[in-house]
Amino acid sequence: MKELAKKRWFVFLLGILLAILVLLGIGVVLYCNGYRITYPQQFETSWDAVSGFAAWFGVGVSILSAAASVAAIWFAVRVADKQNKIALFEKRYELYDIAISCRLFAAMLERKKDIDKAFLAAFYKIPADTQKADVSLVRERSSLIALKVVQFSFLFKDQKILTYMRKVMNLMMEILTGYLNGKETLEDKTQDFLTLIKDAQFAEILKTMEKELNLK
């Protein structure tokens, strides 16, 4: 089918070329025999008409230039707005991912996973089975996450998100700090953390964040 289509296009183009050559040949023959294109006297150039046309043509060009400038500005604004929305989505999604990671961290604590391994697996996707004891890494990464809590108030409109996530993050940091300092009695803090994550309000917080992630 492709070969047939190519042949048809070739024949079509060849026909156009032959038609052009024939018309040129006829024109040359007529020209050689004295035929010329002439105009009657009434079709003499009217300079007033030419001036009027030039004036209106200038107006048309000005209007088109203005329209093109407006279109260019509108397009630039749309592009900038889209880029801002993408940047806002990325920042919001980073915080939403932290909230989801808190839920995963809670699930791993319920399964009696080691706190350091549960934290690195939930927040940094490092499989617990491949981890080695690295207290400094847990301390460094947990500090970075704790600094992001304040961003909830700037990136999400609903202030309930900040209030609730601050409670969740404070409890998580107490659990991690207790672990890093060698304290063994963390069951009460762990239970409070699990209670917050299982609460229906946390599910509502996640839904609210998902709605604000939609930037339409």
Side-chain angles (χ1 to χ4, degrees):
M1 291 295 291
K2 291 183 179 180
E3 294 297 327
L4 181 60
K6 289 180 180 178
K7 289 180 181 179
R8 287 182 178 176
W9 275 107
F10 177 76
V11 172
F12 178 70
L13 293 175
L14 183 61
I16 291 176
L17 181 60
L18 289 175
I20 293 173
L21 290 175
V22 169
L23 290 174
L24 286 175
I26 293 173
V28 170
V29 170
L30 292 174
Y31 184 83
C32 292
N33 284 278
Y35 287 93
R36 301 289 187 275
I37 299 174
T38 59
Y39 301 94
Q41 292 183 352
Q42 61 267 28
F43 288 166
E44 291 181 357
T45 304
S46 173
W47 294 110
D48 291 336
V50 171
S51 299
F53 175 78
W56 281 107
F57 182 78
V59 172
V61 170
S62 299
I63 293 174
L64 288 175
S65 299
S69 299
V70 172
I73 293 172
W74 176 82
F75 181 75
V77 170
R78 286 293 301 272
V79 170
D81 183 58
K82 187 175 182 180
Q83 291 176 339
N84 289 337
K85 284 185 175 181
I86 292 173
L88 179 59
F89 173 84
E90 291 175 347
K91 290 183 179 297
R92 282 180 175 175
Y93 188 81
E94 185 179 5
L95 297 181
Y96 174 75
D97 187 59
I98 289 176
I100 294 296
S101 297
C102 286
R103 187 167 63 179
L104 180 58
F105 179 62
M108 298 187 76
L109 289 180
E110 275 195 307
R111 295 199 296 267
K112 305 301 180 182
K113 296 289 185 181
D114 292 339
I115 291 176
D116 56 344
K117 292 183 178 181
F119 172 77
L120 293 176
F123 287 88
Y124 293 96
K125 310 305 182 282
I126 303 175
D129 296 337
T130 64
Q131 292 180 31
K132 295 181 180 179
D134 192 343
V135 175
S136 60
L137 180 60
V138 174
R139 182 178 285 109
E140 174 191 343
R141 297 296 178 88
S142 60
S143 299
L144 291 175
I145 291 176
L147 291 174
K148 292 183 179 293
V149 177
V150 70
Q151 295 181 12
F152 280 95
S153 61
F154 297 105
L155 295 175
F156 289 97
K157 299 175 183 178
D158 194 336
Q159 291 302 303
K160 293 179 182 178
I161 296 176
L162 172 64
T163 303
Y164 202 88
M165 287 306 301
R166 183 171 284 168
K167 293 178 182 178
V168 170
M169 297 300 292
N170 285 343
L171 274 173
M172 189 182 76
M173 292 306 299
E174 288 182 22
I175 293 170
L176 291 172
T177 301
Y179 171 79
L180 294 172
N181 292 336
K183 297 178 181 178
E184 296 181 358
T185 56
L186 297 170
E187 279 74 11
D188 54 341
K189 298 296 182 184
T190 301
Q191 191 56 50
D192 291 342
F193 178 76
L194 294 177
T195 301
L196 279 178
I197 297 298
K198 291 179 179 180
D199 193 279
Q201 191 174 351
F202 183 70
E204 289 298 323
I205 291 295
L206 291 179
K207 287 182 180 179
T208 302
M209 293 174 73
E210 290 167 3
K211 288 180 180 178
E212 293 197 32
L213 278 171
N214 188 351
L215 301 175
K216 293 182 181 180

